[in-house]
Structures are given as structure tokens and as C-alpha cells.
Amino acid sequence: MKTPMNDAGAAVGADGAAGAYFRAKLRFEIDVMDVADAAPGSFVLVDTRRQSSWDHGHIPGAVHLPTAQIPARAAELIPAGSSVVVYSWGPGCNGSTFAALAFAELGYPVREMIGGIEYWARNGLPVETATGVVVRDFDGLVTAHQPEG
């Protein structure tokens, strides 16, 4: 029997290239809600955006380390061997992918928070700004999460 193929020419099925790709991909990604629900201290959350973006708003408790500074400053800010989760702006930005690569090349166990801070905020989760922590209304189109209250 011939192995079914997708439009890209990859084998379809549990033991095909597509299955292997998605299993591998999921090992290195984490969903916004999984980050929010994670046990405190289970990883270091790193905002990889530039200073002006950080100032505009960031996830409370995150470490600010722009992607370009990771090779030079990671060791001083994040203990070796610490699990790291990186984020950037959102799904239209691959800045966190470059940051994840930089951490991986330094030997850190790293995952990328898919959706970035955009989907963090759209899920009704807290964002820290210069005026304090704010929680925006959640967007029902992107989350089934309903804040208690």
C-alpha cells in the first residue's frame, strides 16, 4: 500500500514525517494558558522585545532580555540550567523564535510561548505597565478561559 502524502510531499500518518515534525514542534512550544497555569518557579519567563515594547506592557514577573542581548547577558540574569520560556509580541512576530534559538545555543532548556503577549492580553491575563498591573477584557474569540469574578 502506498503511503498517503500531503500537498508538500510529506508522509501523512502517525509514523510519517508530518507526525514527527508536530511531535518535535510541541516539545518546544507552550501555550499562553499553560504558562499562566504553570507552577511558580517552574521556568524563567523572558520578554525578548525591545525596551519601548517592554515599557508599553509586559507579563508580571517576566525578565526583560532583548534577543540581541541574550548571548552576552543570559548568564548574569538566568542561572545555567534553568528552564526558560520566551515570548515576544505575537503570532505575527518571530522574535521569540530567534530568542529561543539563542537560549538553545547557550544550552538552556527553552520553549517558545506561542501567541506572545498579544494573546496573553487577549486571554484576559494581567499586563504590567508603568501605571501598574492591568487586566483587559478577554477576547471570547481566542479563549474559552473565563476569568473568575
Side-chain angles (χ1 to χ4, degrees):
M1 180 171 167
K2 188 173 179 177
T3 303
M5 305 296 262
N6 67 16
D7 291 341
V12 177
D15 58 351
Y21 167 78
F22 288 110
R23 277 190 298 280
K25 181 179 176 183
L26 289 169
R27 288 181 42 222
F28 301 105
E29 292 180 342
I30 187 168
D31 180 82
V32 165
M33 294 311 299
D34 290 337
V35 170
D37 293 339
S42 57
F43 53 79
V44 177
L45 184 61
V46 179
D47 185 315
T48 66
R49 300 171 301 147
R50 63 184 62 156
Q51 186 68 47
S52 59
S53 297
W54 168 267
D55 292 343
H56 184 71
H58 55 273
I59 298 173
V63 171
H64 184 225
L65 184 55
T67 300
Q69 297 176 18
I70 291 170
R73 298 191 59 222
E76 78 183 61
L77 297 174
I78 302 166
S82 297
S83 292
V84 174
V85 172
V86 295
Y87 73 89
S88 61
W89 173 76
C93 170
N94 65 359
S96 58
T97 303
F98 284 106
L101 175 60
F103 274 108
E105 288 176 340
L106 293 172
Y108 287 87
V110 61
R111 290 185 290 170
E112 181 179 17
M113 185 178 85
I114 58 172
I117 194 164
E118 177 190 359
Y119 277 74
W120 179 273
R122 290 180 74 181
N123 273 276
L125 296 167
V127 174
E128 188 171 353
T129 69
T131 59
V133 175
V134 296
V135 177
R136 295 169 177 88
D137 291 336
F138 68 91
D139 181 342
L141 293 175
V142 300
T143 186
H145 171 73
Q146 305 265 332
E148 297 185 24

